[in-house]
């Protein structure tokens, strides 16, 4: 008897253009199967798309490099047949009596014919629907099965107007598919419109009874002390007799390592008629004080494993299903004080700071590994929400899994956008897709696929548009809330209350999350559908703090720049793309940037806005070359996005309830709106966000020059103090002040004191400001924030000669290896002579922060100047006793320098150690997770940095340190 369960079919696929294959599907899966990757057959990317397969086999050039996308024929010119492809594979499966095998496709774009062992089955249209075929009766007796799938592109791939535009000519909106594929102001057109078997393919073996789409819901009472787990599942009896079944549900929680604690085990007996499908609801399971799931920054992401099995009398275990489940309650309402939508999790208000998401890769080369990196990056930025934009995907379960793990709430939109479904040039069809029934089939199936994830926070009908009336009405009805979730007041659990609610909440399609008809309605933007999101351009940093910057409570989209580091430009463009923008001086004193054609194609957004914002790169002086331009862009990126989030947080609850930045990343090698590029290297804006969005934060209001303390936690801060020190370019400290005996109420932003510098006499035109918020009891630092500032109307040009400063550094490193994973602990210390000994917090005793399971270097008390190396070694031994393999010993490097001052804008990168690398070759190892980067150190300060990455087999890594005024070649390898 074959084992029950699922087997993924994700390797060994072949693909060929349909017009180049003369055989029928029946012939391919009987007498004439392809024998391997010989013409016209290619090794195929499945899951993936036709274009991903062509790129992988170098049949077409990489569309993400330079202007190569322009050399690939567009489906509008080639015709749909050109991108209609056969996909072929084989699989082994030999069943015993009463066993069944399902062939499962989690996503095909757009329609398909499936042939298995000569038998044909037609797959209906729709990108966002699952297909499950019972193929038991057509399996080969010898267990060797031949599978061929003919995949057709979307019915309405559309054309790309000469000027491009949002969604091309909008024809793609007639289908239920991704809309970004015709191009957008941040994306070039995808030539095959994502045609392919784009999501998981699997076969699953069951006994006579199958478990289908269980639904899990939690409810709470007595201030979250009592919790109930509700569970409903569909059960299908495929046999010709009544199945006598034992249905089991088990709930476990991990304690340590592989040890699990069984919280509940319940068995129900039922009979299922022959050939029928029934719905069964378990008696509710009671939990006392369960561990709750919290969003990032609010607490732990506690998860329980719910395991459902069904045993059939005379057969044994027939099917099994499991899912990680988080006990949590998400509510939202329109806040009367701000007009914005205010979210609560487990009764606690949460100030939303997050970003918009398209998808991880424009060719749908989706993987668990990339998803984990993507989501961990968002958590590392201290974000708590991701919005899945309506022109992209209904994101995959793997995406949601990592959002569950890392605590990112998800706003999931359906496939409607204003540009493609109601406006634009040409004006698009406001009635949405042609087949409304198909849209609803896909929507309902998507809900069933994703509804058990605790991270899923709300459903939204569309981006800047409401779905057509009939679809909107149906979604409102299908996604109506169970009464318990309709308001924030807990209902008493009495028979009188429940008598008016006959259904169990798990019997609803969802029932637990609010449905909002569009991204500009009901507490978002102006709440009435007006185009009051944005802006999408560079801003003067102080503008974000001003009262008139944004007039509504929750902005779902506000965007800006996103130039990556120079290595990414070189890796994604030929040499003619390395030309930096030309600076055009305008009569009004402002400047205009003119990018080269490759940057223009990659949607570059400038760092200047004539009549509104002076060029934020030119503030540092005219850039000389690509490296200079990209480094200065990182300075601007950091300031821009830190100011954006600090400006919003400054008015937490008084004016705003949340903000989502447009956007966090790019599904291709774009040059705008990103915190990390498509190659997974972070911009400095990443760390500006990480700083600004920390749960406890000290900041400078750039409009009022008041120091503010932000406390987004549910605990009041008391016995805290702020150290404010100003440093000039000569390395002296003209201003130093400690503000003691402070407190900060829970979930409040409080102004503390106005900075007197630079209003004092003879202020320096360019200066640094270091703010530290700390506990007075032990000097434990809760927040550290470093600014570089210029006087009003000034610039940063004095920082150019500051590059020549030679600041002495002490760099301590320790390397630990676990398999292919490297973990490197760095201490970087500015050992310049201290210009002022009044500082109380030079110990840099960082306070431990709640993490996501990773070791947090912020909990380390680093050694300070004067501490001997023996003490450092013993400290590291205590820290790293949890790691399995130690590589080498503690390494201490002294960087000579006679100057006193700030070590400015230091940043690490990780490279493959190569002795023969060519000039311009990209040697970076990516992705890398840094506990911090793009940091600065005043004299005497030490910064602990943790660096984590995986290396390919046979590669030796080296870690390089760079800086504005540090040009050494310090490496660790």
């Amino acid at each position: 008897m074959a084992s029950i369960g699922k087997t993924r079919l994700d390797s060994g696929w072949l693909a060929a253009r349909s017009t180049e294959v003369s055989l029928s599907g029946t012939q391919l899966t009987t007498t004439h199967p392809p024998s391997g990757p010989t013409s016209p057959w290619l090794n195929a990317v499945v899951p993936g798309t036709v274009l991903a397969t062509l790129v992988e086999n170098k049949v077409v050039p990489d569309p993400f490099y330079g202007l190569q996308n322009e050399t690939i024929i567009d489906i509008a010119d080639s015709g749909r047949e050109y991108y209609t492809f056969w996909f072929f594979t084989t699989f082994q499966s030999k069943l015993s009596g009463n066993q069944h095998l399902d062939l499962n496709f989690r996503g095909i774009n757009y329609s398909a014919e499936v042939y298995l062992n000569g038998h044909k089955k037609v797959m209906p249209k729709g990108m966002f629907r699952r297909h499950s075929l019972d193929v038991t009766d057509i399996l080969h007796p010898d267990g060797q099965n031949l599978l061929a799938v003919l995949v057709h592109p979307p019915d309405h791939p559309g054309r790309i107007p000469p000027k491009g535009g949002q969604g091309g000519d909008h024809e793609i909106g007639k289908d239920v598919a991704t809309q970004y594929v015709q191009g957008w102001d941040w994306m070039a057109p995808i030539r095959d419109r994502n045609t392919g078997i784009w999501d998981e393919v699997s076969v699953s073996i069951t006994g006579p009874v199958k478990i289908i789409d269980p639904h899990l819901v939690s409810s709470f009472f007595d201030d979250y002390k009592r919790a109930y787990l509700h569970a409903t599942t569909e059960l299908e009896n495929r046999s010709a007799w009544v199945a006598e079944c034992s249905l089991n549900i088990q709930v476990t929680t991990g304690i340590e390592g592989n040890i699990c604690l069984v919280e509940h085990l319940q068995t129900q007996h039922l009979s299922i008629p022959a050939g029928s499908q029934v719905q069964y609801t378990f008696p509710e399971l009671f939990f006392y004080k369960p561990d709750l799931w919290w969003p990032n920054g609010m607490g732990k992401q506690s998860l329980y494993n719910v395991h459902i099995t069904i045993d059939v009398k005379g057969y044994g275990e027939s099917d099994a299903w499991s899912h990680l489940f988080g006990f949590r309650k998400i509510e939202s309402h329109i806040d009367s004080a701000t007009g914005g939508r205010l979210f609560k999790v487990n009764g606690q208000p949460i100030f939303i700071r997050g970003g918009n998401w398209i998808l991880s890769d424009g060719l749908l080369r989706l993987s668990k590994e990339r998803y984990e990196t993507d989501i961990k990056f968002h958590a590392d930025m201290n974000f708590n929400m991701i919005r899945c934009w309506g022109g992209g995907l209904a994101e995959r379960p793997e995406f949601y899994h990592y959002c569950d793990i890392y605590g990112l709430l998800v706003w999931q939109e359906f496939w409607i956008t204003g540009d493609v479904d109601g406006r634009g040039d040409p004006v698009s069809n406001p009635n949405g897709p042609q087949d409304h029934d198909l849209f609803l089939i896909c929507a309902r199936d998507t809900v069933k696929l994703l509804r058990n994830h605790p991270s899923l926070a709300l459903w939204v009908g569309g981006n800047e548009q409401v779905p057509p009336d009939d679809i909107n009405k149906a979604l409102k009805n299908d996604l109506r809330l169970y009464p318990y979730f309709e308001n924030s007041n807990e209902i008493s659990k009495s028979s009188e209350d429940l008598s008016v609610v006959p259904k169990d909440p798990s019997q609803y399609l969802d029932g637990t999350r609010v449905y909002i008809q569009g991204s500009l309605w009901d507490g978002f933007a102006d709440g009435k559908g007006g185009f009051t999101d944005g802006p999408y351009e560079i801003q003067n940093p102080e503008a974000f703090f001003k009262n008139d910057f944004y007039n509504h409570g929750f902005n779902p989209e506000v965007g800006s720049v996103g130039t990556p580091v120079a290595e990414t430009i070189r890796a994604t463009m030929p040499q003619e793309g390395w030309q930096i923008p030309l600076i055009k001086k305008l009569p009004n004193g402002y400047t205009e940037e003119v990018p080269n054609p490759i940057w223009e194609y990659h949607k570059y957004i400038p760092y200047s806005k004539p009549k509104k914002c002076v060029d934020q790169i030119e503030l540092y002086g005219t850039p000389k070359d690509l490296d200079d331009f990209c480094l200065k862009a990182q300075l601007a990126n950091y300031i821009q996005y830190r100011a954006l989030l600090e400006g919003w947080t400054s008015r937490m609850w008084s004016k705003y309830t949340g903000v989502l930045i447009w956007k966090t990343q790019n599904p291709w090698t774009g040059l705008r709106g990103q915190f990390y590029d498509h190659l997974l290297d972070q911009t400095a804006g990443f760390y500006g966000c990480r700083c600004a969005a920390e749960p406890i934060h000290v900041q400078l209001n750039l409009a009022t020059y008041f120091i503010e303390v932000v406390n987004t936690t549910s605990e009041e801060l008391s016995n805290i103090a702020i150290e404010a020190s100003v440093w000039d370019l000569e390395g002296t400290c003209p201003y130093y002040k400690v503000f003691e005996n402070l407190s900060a109420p829970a979930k409040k932003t409080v102004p503390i004191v106005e900075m007197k510098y630079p209003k004092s006499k003879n202020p320096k035109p360019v200066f640094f400001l270091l703010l530290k918020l700390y506990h007075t009891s032990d000097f434990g630092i809760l927040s550290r924030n470093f600014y570089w500032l210029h006087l009003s109307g000034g610039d940063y040009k004095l920082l150019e000669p500051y590059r020549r400063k030679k600041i002495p550094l002490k760099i301590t490193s320790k390397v630990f290896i676990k398999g292919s994973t490297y973990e490197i602990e760095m201490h970087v210390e500015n050992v310049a002579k201290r210009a002022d000994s009044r500082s109380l917090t030079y110990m840099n005793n960082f306070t431990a922060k709640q993490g996501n399971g990773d070791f947090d270097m912020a909990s380390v008390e680093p050694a300070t100047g004067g501490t001997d190396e023996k003490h450092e070694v013993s400290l590291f031994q205590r820290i790293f006793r949890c790691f399995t393999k130690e590589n080498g010993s503690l390494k201490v490097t002294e960087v000579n320098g006679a100057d006193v001052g700030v070590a400015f804008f230091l940043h690490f990168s990780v490279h493959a150690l190569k002795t023969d690398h060519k000039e311009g070759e990209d040697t970076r190892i990516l992705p890398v997770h840094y506990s911090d980067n793009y940091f600065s150190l005043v004299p005497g300060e030490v910064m602990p940095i943790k660096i984590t990455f995986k290396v390919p087999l046979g590669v030796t890594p080296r870690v390089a340190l760079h800086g504005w005024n540090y040009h050494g070649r310090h490496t660790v390898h």
Side-chain angles (χ1 to χ4, degrees):
M1 181 182 293
S3 299
I4 67 166
K6 182 176 78 172
T7 302
R8 279 191 277 275
L9 305 181
D10 54 6
S11 62
W13 286 85
L14 300 171
R17 184 169 284 115
S18 63
T19 55
E20 297 175 2
V21 177
S22 59
L23 301 168
S24 68
T26 300
Q27 290 172 310
L28 290 173
T29 57
T30 52
T31 56
H32 293 80
S35 57
T38 56
S39 183
W41 294 93
L42 308 167
N43 288 318
V45 178
V46 175
T49 63
V50 168
L51 191 54
T53 289
L54 296 176
V55 171
E56 179 70 18
N57 288 274
K58 295 182 168 50
V59 176
V60 299
D62 182 357
F64 292 0
Y65 184 86
L67 298 177
Q68 289 181 169
N69 191 52
E70 289 295 282
T71 69
I72 303 173
I73 190 168
D74 192 82
I75 193 171
D77 300 313
S78 68
R80 292 175 67 247
E81 295 78 13
Y82 186 81
Y83 287 110
T84 300
F85 265 62
W86 281 106
F87 292 85
F88 177 88
T89 193
T90 65
F91 64 90
Q92 287 280 340
S93 188
K94 197 169 184 179
L95 304 180
S96 304
N98 298 326
Q99 286 192 318
H100 292 258
L101 185 133
D102 289 314
L103 175 60
N104 309 301
F105 297 90
R106 212 167 64 182
I108 294 177
N109 191 28
Y110 186 61
S111 61
E113 292 110 59
V114 176
Y115 293 84
L116 181 64
N117 301 331
H119 297 264
K120 177 181 179 181
K121 292 185 179 285
V122 177
M123 294 288 95
K125 297 175 181 179
M127 185 174 179
F128 302 109
R129 66 188 301 180
R130 294 170 294 169
H131 309 278
S132 185
L133 305 174
D134 185 347
V135 296
T136 306
D137 296 338
I138 57 177
L139 297 177
H140 272 161
D142 64 2
Q144 178 74 2
N145 299 284
L146 308 179
L147 171 63
V149 186
L150 181 62
V151 179
H152 300 277
D155 292 345
H156 302 89
R159 301 195 68 85
I160 313 302
K163 293 185 178 180
Q166 311 292 74
D169 65 0
H170 313 128
E171 282 291 295
I172 195 70
K174 294 179 178 178
D175 298 328
V176 184
T178 51
Q179 298 184 354
Y180 78 93
V181 289
Q182 281 196 255
W184 224 268
D185 60 6
W186 44 264
M187 182 73 180
I190 303 296
R191 299 307 188 187
D192 70 342
R193 308 295 191 264
N194 283 159
T195 300
I197 306 173
W198 68 277
D199 200 8
E200 178 186 279
V201 185
S202 66
V203 292
S204 52
I205 295 172
T206 70
V209 177
K210 176 184 179 182
I211 297 170
I212 303 172
D213 291 333
H215 186 200
L216 308 175
V217 174
S218 57
S219 60
F220 300 93
F221 305 91
D222 299 336
D223 195 25
Y224 296 88
K225 293 186 182 70
R226 279 194 296 149
Y228 294 86
L229 176 63
H230 309 265
T232 293
T233 186
E234 305 291 325
L235 300 167
E236 182 182 9
N237 180 7
R238 300 176 173 186
S239 69
W241 63 88
V242 175
E244 299 295 334
C245 304
S246 295
L247 185 61
N248 312 290
I249 184 168
Q250 178 178 288
V251 184
T252 60
T253 182
I255 301 177
E256 190 175 331
N258 295 322
I259 301 173
C260 288
L261 175 67
V262 177
E263 294 273 354
H264 276 283
L265 178 60
Q266 186 187 96
T267 300
Q268 303 295 317
H269 299 283
L270 63 155
S271 299
I272 305 177
S276 66
Q277 186 168 318
V278 301
Q279 178 178 285
Y280 181 80
T281 300
F282 287 90
E284 59 192 23
L285 300 177
F286 172 69
F287 292 76
Y288 182 67
K289 290 185 177 179
D291 293 328
L292 301 180
W293 183 93
W294 292 96
N296 188 33
M298 291 184 73
K300 292 182 179 180
Q301 289 75 53
S302 299
L303 294 167
Y304 293 75
N305 188 42
V306 179
H307 192 61
I308 297 174
T309 58
I310 189 161
D311 295 292
V312 176
K313 187 176 181 181
Y315 176 82
E317 188 172 272
S318 180
D319 201 4
W321 177 92
S322 63
H323 204 286
L324 291 176
F325 180 75
F327 282 93
R328 63 97 182 94
K329 184 178 182 182
I330 291 181
E331 306 161 274
S332 68
H333 65 273
I334 298 176
D335 177 45
S336 59
T338 64
R341 183 157 291 271
L342 192 155
F343 288 85
K344 286 185 176 182
V345 180
N346 304 329
Q348 296 287 333
I350 174 172
F351 188 69
I352 298 297
R353 293 175 292 189
N356 285 266
W357 167 274
I358 314 303
L359 65 163
S360 66
D361 180 70
L363 302 188
L364 300 187
R365 295 167 293 196
L366 311 178
S367 70
K368 289 184 70 174
E369 294 75 18
R370 186 172 183 109
Y371 273 139
E372 181 172 21
T373 298
D374 280 319
I375 304 311
K376 188 177 188 309
F377 276 177
H378 285 73
D380 287 346
M381 285 187 281
N382 291 311
F383 284 173
N384 52 31
M385 180 177 276
I386 297 177
R387 173 192 173 211
C388 293
W389 174 75
L393 293 182
E395 264 301 353
R396 302 298 86 197
E398 292 80 9
F399 170 93
Y400 276 89
H401 168 76
Y402 290 111
C403 288
D404 295 344
I405 296 294
Y406 291 109
L408 275 297
L409 297 172
V410 184
W411 156 339
Q412 179 66 64
E413 245 156 54
F414 294 109
W415 317 284
I416 297 286
T417 67
D419 300 274
V420 177
D421 298 296
R423 66 173 195 273
D425 182 14
V427 176
S428 55
N429 172 27
N431 203 33
Q434 287 188 340
D435 190 335
H436 289 197
D437 289 338
L438 173 59
F439 186 97
L440 290 170
I441 287 170
C442 290
R444 289 165 183 144
D445 195 58
T446 295
V447 173
K448 289 180 179 180
L449 179 67
L450 303 176
R451 63 190 177 184
N452 293 316
H453 289 278
S455 56
L456 178 57
L458 76 161
W459 302 102
V460 176
N463 166 65
E464 300 179 341
Q465 180 68 303
V466 175
D469 288 344
D470 58 327
I471 292 178
N472 197 38
K473 184 177 180 181
L475 289 174
K476 284 181 179 179
N477 181 65
D478 290 348
L479 296 172
R480 66 192 184 280
L481 292 174
Y482 182 80
Y484 166 78
F485 296 96
E486 286 181 346
N487 58 64
S488 58
N489 297 320
E490 291 192 13
I491 59 173
S492 62
K493 195 170 177 62
S494 65
S495 57
E496 288 79 13
D497 292 319
L498 295 180
S499 65
V500 298
V501 186
K503 281 179 144 184
D504 185 279
S506 62
Q507 293 174 10
Y508 278 58
L509 179 63
D510 185 334
T512 68
R513 301 168 180 91
V514 68
Y515 167 74
I516 306 295
Q517 58 186 347
S519 66
L520 302 177
W521 280 260
D522 302 324
F524 300 123
D526 72 356
K528 301 173 183 178
F531 296 112
T532 47
D533 45 2
Y536 306 91
E537 58 198 14
I538 192 75
Q539 304 290 329
N540 292 310
E542 63 273 16
F544 295 112
F545 293 85
K546 294 181 178 177
N547 198 49
D548 61 353
F549 181 75
Y550 188 71
N551 295 322
H552 308 289
F554 194 121
N555 193 340
E557 294 183 14
V558 55
S560 193
V561 292
T563 298
V565 298
E567 290 94 329
T568 293
I569 299 292
R570 293 191 180 98
T572 57
M573 297 178 186
Q575 197 158 354
E576 54 267 32
W578 303 355
Q579 177 65 48
I580 62 176
L582 299 174
I583 305 299
K584 182 180 177 183
K585 300 290 184 181
L586 301 178
N588 61 6
Y590 286 87
T591 59
E592 180 182 340
E593 294 177 34
V594 183
N596 69 64
I598 299 179
W599 283 34
E600 186 78 31
Y601 190 78
H602 285 254
K603 316 295 185 177
Y604 174 75
I605 183 171
Y607 285 74
S608 60
K609 183 67 176 177
K611 297 184 180 179
K612 186 173 182 181
C613 181
V614 298
D615 194 299
Q616 297 295 293
I617 290 178
E618 281 259 294
L619 284 177
Y620 299 90
T622 301
K624 297 185 289 292
D625 53 25
L626 181 65
D627 290 288
D628 193 33
F629 182 91
C630 289
L631 178 58
K632 288 172 178 173
Q634 301 318 309
L635 290 161
N637 290 345
Y638 192 104
I639 289 177
Q640 183 77 179
Y641 288 109
R642 178 179 60 180
L644 190 160
L645 287 180
E646 288 184 340
W648 245 268
T649 307
S650 179
R651 288 183 164 83
M652 178 172 65
W653 312 131
S654 63
K655 183 175 175 61
Y656 301 128
T657 59
V659 61
L660 300 175
I661 297 173
W662 183 267
K663 49 192 176 34
T664 57
Q665 42 74 251
N666 267 303
W668 81 310
T669 49
L671 297 178
R672 70 190 306 157
Q674 59 185 355
F675 299 128
Y676 57 94
D677 59 46
H678 192 257
L679 304 182
L680 298 177
D681 199 356
Q682 301 103 328
T683 73
F686 183 106
Y687 297 96
C689 286
R690 179 184 176 91
C691 172
E694 58 187 348
I696 298 171
H697 183 60
V698 60
Q699 65 184 38
L700 178 69
N701 186 310
L702 296 179
T704 66
Y705 255 64
F706 265 75
I707 298 173
E708 299 171 338
V709 172
V710 179
N711 180 12
T712 65
T713 74
S714 55
E715 301 293 331
E716 180 182 4
L717 297 175
S718 57
N719 298 316
I720 57 174
I722 294 172
E723 179 192 74
S725 58
V726 170
W727 299 82
D728 60 24
L729 299 184
E730 287 71 48
T732 62
C733 182
Y735 176 90
Y736 177 85
K737 185 75 174 176
V738 174
F739 307 97
E740 298 182 294
N741 301 317
L742 305 177
S743 62
K747 300 191 180 299
K748 294 284 187 184
T749 297
V750 290
I752 301 297
V753 66
E754 184 180 5
M755 272 287 296
K756 297 303 181 185
Y757 195 97
K759 292 183 178 180
S760 55
K761 292 181 180 179
N762 301 317
K764 300 299 176 72
V766 175
F767 58 95
F768 304 110
L769 170 65
L770 177 62
L771 299 176
K772 291 183 181 181
L773 175 70
Y774 63 94
H775 281 298
T776 53
S777 58
D778 60 359
F779 302 109
I781 294 176
L782 297 166
S783 174
R784 175 190 181 277
N785 202 348
F786 181 89
Y787 295 85
W788 53 103
L789 300 163
H790 61 71
L791 296 182
S792 179
D795 57 40
Y796 292 115
K797 288 186 173 65
L798 286 176
L799 285 175
E800 187 63 35
Y802 196 65
R803 285 183 169 191
R804 296 192 291 271
K805 287 272 189 178
K806 292 185 178 180
I807 308 298
L809 299 175
K810 181 180 179 182
I811 304 162
T812 309
S813 58
K814 186 75 169 177
V815 181
F816 295 86
I817 307 170
K818 194 176 347 184
S820 62
T821 300
Y822 278 65
E823 298 197 7
I824 303 179
E825 306 294 344
M826 312 285 292
H827 283 181
V828 184
E829 183 177 0
N830 181 344
V831 292
K833 180 183 176 183
R834 296 178 187 173
D836 197 305
S837 60
R838 294 172 293 175
S839 172
L840 301 175
T841 59
Y842 271 124
M843 284 184 64
N844 235 7
N845 181 17
F846 284 84
T847 300
K849 302 174 183 177
Q850 284 189 333
N852 48 36
D854 288 346
F855 181 74
D856 190 349
M857 268 305 287
S859 65
V860 177
E861 180 183 335
T864 58
T867 305
D868 62 39
E869 191 170 319
K870 182 179 178 182
H871 175 77
E872 287 181 302
V873 173
S874 66
L875 174 65
F876 275 109
Q877 287 171 343
R878 294 200 306 273
I879 295 168
F880 301 125
R881 61 182 181 273
C882 57
F883 295 118
T884 56
K885 182 181 177 183
E886 185 176 310
N887 182 35
S889 59
L890 191 71
K891 180 179 178 181
V892 180
T893 302
E894 298 281 354
V895 177
N896 293 325
D899 291 319
V900 175
V902 171
F904 183 54
F905 217 53
L906 300 169
H907 54 101
F908 287 106
S909 58
V910 182
H911 301 260
L913 183 61
K914 288 188 175 184
T915 56
D916 59 344
H917 78 275
K918 302 167 187 173
E919 186 178 356
E921 180 184 359
D922 188 11
T923 61
R924 287 173 298 171
I925 293 173
L926 297 170
V928 182
H929 297 277
Y930 302 93
S931 63
D932 206 351
N933 217 353
Y934 294 97
F935 59 96
S936 302
L937 298 174
V938 304
E941 265 201 311
V942 60
M943 179 69 73
I945 304 286
K946 175 190 170 185
I947 305 173
T948 308
F949 55 91
K950 290 185 178 180
V951 297
L953 189 65
V955 171
T956 300
R958 66 179 179 89
V959 178
L961 177 64
H962 315 272
W964 184 260
N965 53 357
Y966 173 67
H967 310 287
R969 288 289 176 183
H970 173 74
T971 61
V972 176
H973 55 79

